[in-house]
Amino acid sequence: MRRRTLLAGALAAAPLAAGCSNDDGALDTASPRGRTTISYGMWDPAQAPALQQIIKAFERENPQISVEIQLTPWNTYWTTLRTAMRGGTAPDVFWMNAVNIQLYAANGMLEPLDAHIARDRTPVDEHPEALVDIYAYKGKQYGLPKDFDTIGLWYNKALFDKAGITYPDSAWTWDDVRDAARELTDPKKRIYGIASEMDRQSKFYPTIFGAGGYVLRDGHSGFADPRSIEGLRFWTDLVDRGWSPPQSAMAEVRSRNLYLSEQVAMNYDLSAMASFMYATPAIKDHGGVTVLPKGRKRATVIHGLANVVSVKSRHKQAAWKLVDFLARREAAEIQAKAGITISSYTGTQDAWLKSMPEFDLKNFIDMLDYAVPYPSSRNTAVWEDLEYLLLGAPFSGKGGIEDTARTLAKQMDRALDEEDN
């Protein structure tokens, strides 16, 4: 729990350095001397061109404000942000995800947005409710969604054709996946039927929900629930039977890369990865995607990024104007046309669907009806680290998923209890 203590402590100490926020939470006005420059923090270079277009549109509407993008690679984004928070140099507006929202909100790092939303009539209800709820904490809204992703079953049509198997569709169940994985696996050619990488977002979280289980509920772990174990066993059985590569074989190569290199025939993956699939000639030519197969019930996970305002911003009025603009239709349509990710604003998804007509991307939209929000708490990273630590052996073909899941539940509950202390 040392990591949790250091992380929470660093964030809790940061507000002491804040001296630029108004005590009543009012937003600062733009500088009377001219244009106000605000910074926008993000981590994905693939989205930068679309964001530049959106910023140009924003600046045309708000000529007194300039926006500078601060692009930080994902592997250093959060550590850089924590350091900037302590030093009072964090971006005015920056990307936030489900894993970190409660931690930053609980430690006073984010500007509450409710009063500003009400005043400017920001169309929050045009975004999926499950996604909006992710970025609320203790009755206050701290982030507004910009996009979303769900999980689908990607498959290689050429490998299916060679095996004489009908392509997956919405009628498929877990049994169909197991049967196809068996038939598609070719040890001589080192081709696996499916990849069961221990990836919480695109693999075992949606499968647990599909089994009727749960990851987190009312501050308690659901990993000991028999249905949750059933969802985990779906994947470990595939490894045990040799129809999926073990986790140990993917220490440096992700399941996505195995799918792109045509070493696996099926892979659960994010809608946000569609542009990477599209940029790979072999997958663009004979790749396909459908909804996740049904377990006890249908389920997928919805996640998406939100824009937040730093509580330390010296230009909160300008920062809020940007967040408000990013949550509206014009920005969403520009983003959707770029084909990088699904805009979360209602009615703007068609542009994204049309950007890659070779794939049946509408499946990702259709799954919104039964999408489950990505599970998170104040210190999500702490218990997610436990998942990787404990589940590695069962996902490498060493068995024991039942006992491991129960052990994980106990340790996760202990970590959740510490969040309240």
Side-chain angles (χ1 to χ4, degrees):
M1 300 306 152
R2 177 67 173 163
R3 178 179 174 181
R4 173 198 174 276
T5 303
L6 289 174
L7 179 59
L11 288 175
L16 298 177
C20 53
S21 301
N22 297 329
D23 291 339
D24 61 0
L27 301 180
D28 300 338
T29 57
S31 170
R33 297 181 179 179
R35 291 169 69 89
T36 296
T37 300
I38 59 174
S39 51
Y40 182 64
M42 56 180 290
W43 63 70
D44 184 3
Q47 294 197 41
L51 263 299
Q52 288 284 13
Q53 293 180 46
I54 293 172
I55 287 171
K56 287 182 179 178
F58 170 76
E59 290 175 344
R60 284 196 298 270
E61 188 173 305
N62 299 273
Q64 76 283 10
I65 303 173
S66 296
V67 182
E68 295 181 350
I69 289 180
Q70 291 184 2
L71 184 61
T72 306
W74 165 256
N75 59 356
T76 59
Y77 181 85
W78 298 106
T79 54
T80 300
L81 184 58
R82 290 198 298 272
T83 300
M85 282 290 183
R86 290 197 298 269
T89 59
D92 298 283
V93 179
F94 55 90
W95 282 4
M96 179 55 62
N97 65 4
V99 174
N100 291 284
I101 179 62
Q102 292 190 36
L103 179 61
Y104 277 73
N107 285 285
M109 293 289 90
L110 307 178
E111 176 78 9
L113 303 180
D114 301 85
H116 320 311
I117 291 170
R119 182 194 64 201
D120 293 341
R121 298 182 179 179
T122 310
V124 177
D125 58 354
E126 294 290 348
H127 300 265
E129 183 178 0
L131 188 59
V132 173
D133 289 347
I134 288 176
Y135 293 100
Y137 179 69
K138 291 191 174 180
K140 295 182 178 181
Q141 196 71 37
Y142 287 94
L144 294 183
K146 64 176 287 291
D147 57 37
F148 75 86
D149 51 64
T150 53
I151 317 301
L153 175 62
W154 292 86
Y155 58 94
N156 186 306
K157 295 179 181 178
L159 294 176
F160 270 75
D161 290 342
K162 186 175 182 180
I165 301 174
T166 303
Y167 301 152
D169 59 25
S170 60
W172 270 40
T173 66
W174 290 3
D175 288 338
D176 294 309
V177 171
R178 289 192 185 100
D179 291 343
R182 180 185 66 245
E183 296 299 323
L184 290 161
T185 297
D186 188 340
K188 293 182 180 179
K189 295 184 178 181
R190 295 184 179 181
I191 295 175
Y192 290 94
I194 192 168
S196 60
E197 180 184 18
M198 195 177 63
D199 186 288
R200 54 188 180 264
Q201 181 171 355
S202 62
K203 292 293 194 299
F204 62 83
Y205 280 3
T207 313
I208 285 173
F209 293 131
Y214 66 100
V215 176
L216 175 68
R217 183 180 298 165
D218 299 326
H220 296 284
S221 170
F223 279 97
D225 186 289
R227 294 164 298 182
S228 298
I229 294 174
E230 179 184 354
L232 292 171
R233 192 186 297 116
F234 168 78
W235 288 111
T236 58
D237 281 353
L238 292 166
V239 174
D240 294 343
R241 296 171 185 270
W243 304 336
S244 173
Q247 183 68 24
S248 56
M250 293 188 288
E252 298 182 1
V253 181
R254 297 203 62 179
S255 62
R256 181 176 304 130
N257 300 111
L258 295 178
Y259 174 73
L260 292 172
S261 62
E262 302 186 275
Q263 292 177 268
V264 298
M266 296 180 287
N267 188 48
Y268 281 26
D269 211 341
L270 305 166
S271 53
M273 293 299 108
S275 59
F276 289 91
M277 312 293 188
Y278 200 70
T280 304
I283 302 302
K284 179 181 178 181
D285 291 341
H286 50 253
V289 66
T290 187
V291 300
L292 290 186
K294 183 179 179 180
R296 289 175 179 260
K297 56 189 292 187
R298 290 206 175 279
T300 189
V301 168
I302 184 172
H303 182 250
L305 304 183
N307 292 299
V308 298
V309 175
S310 169
V311 77
K312 293 186 176 184
S313 172
R314 292 180 174 83
H315 306 291
K316 289 184 181 176
Q317 177 65 34
W320 162 250
K321 282 182 176 292
L322 177 60
V323 170
D324 177 69
F325 185 85
L326 291 167
R328 294 180 181 272
R329 176 179 289 275
E330 183 178 358
E333 288 179 339
I334 295 172
Q335 179 177 250
K337 289 177 182 177
I340 300 299
T341 186
I342 312 176
S343 294
S344 54
Y345 194 99
T346 301
T348 62
Q349 290 80 37
D350 281 351
W352 181 75
L353 299 178
K354 293 175 181 177
S355 68
M356 291 167 276
E358 288 82 353
F359 300 147
D360 191 3
L361 298 178
K362 188 174 182 296
N363 285 298
F364 291 109
I365 311 297
D366 292 342
M367 287 187 283
L368 283 176
D369 292 339
Y370 47 82
V372 180
Y374 188 94
S376 62
S377 69
R378 276 180 57 186
N379 290 293
T380 310
V382 174
W383 49 264
E384 286 196 333
D385 284 350
L386 293 173
E387 293 170 357
Y388 281 117
L389 179 65
L390 296 175
L391 295 177
F395 270 76
S396 289
K398 298 180 181 179
I401 188 61
E402 292 82 1
D403 290 341
T404 299
R406 296 186 186 100
T407 299
L408 173 57
K410 291 178 181 178
Q411 295 194 24
M412 181 175 166
D413 280 337
R414 190 177 303 125
L416 291 166
D417 288 342
E418 288 192 12
E419 291 185 4
D420 299 326
N421 296 331

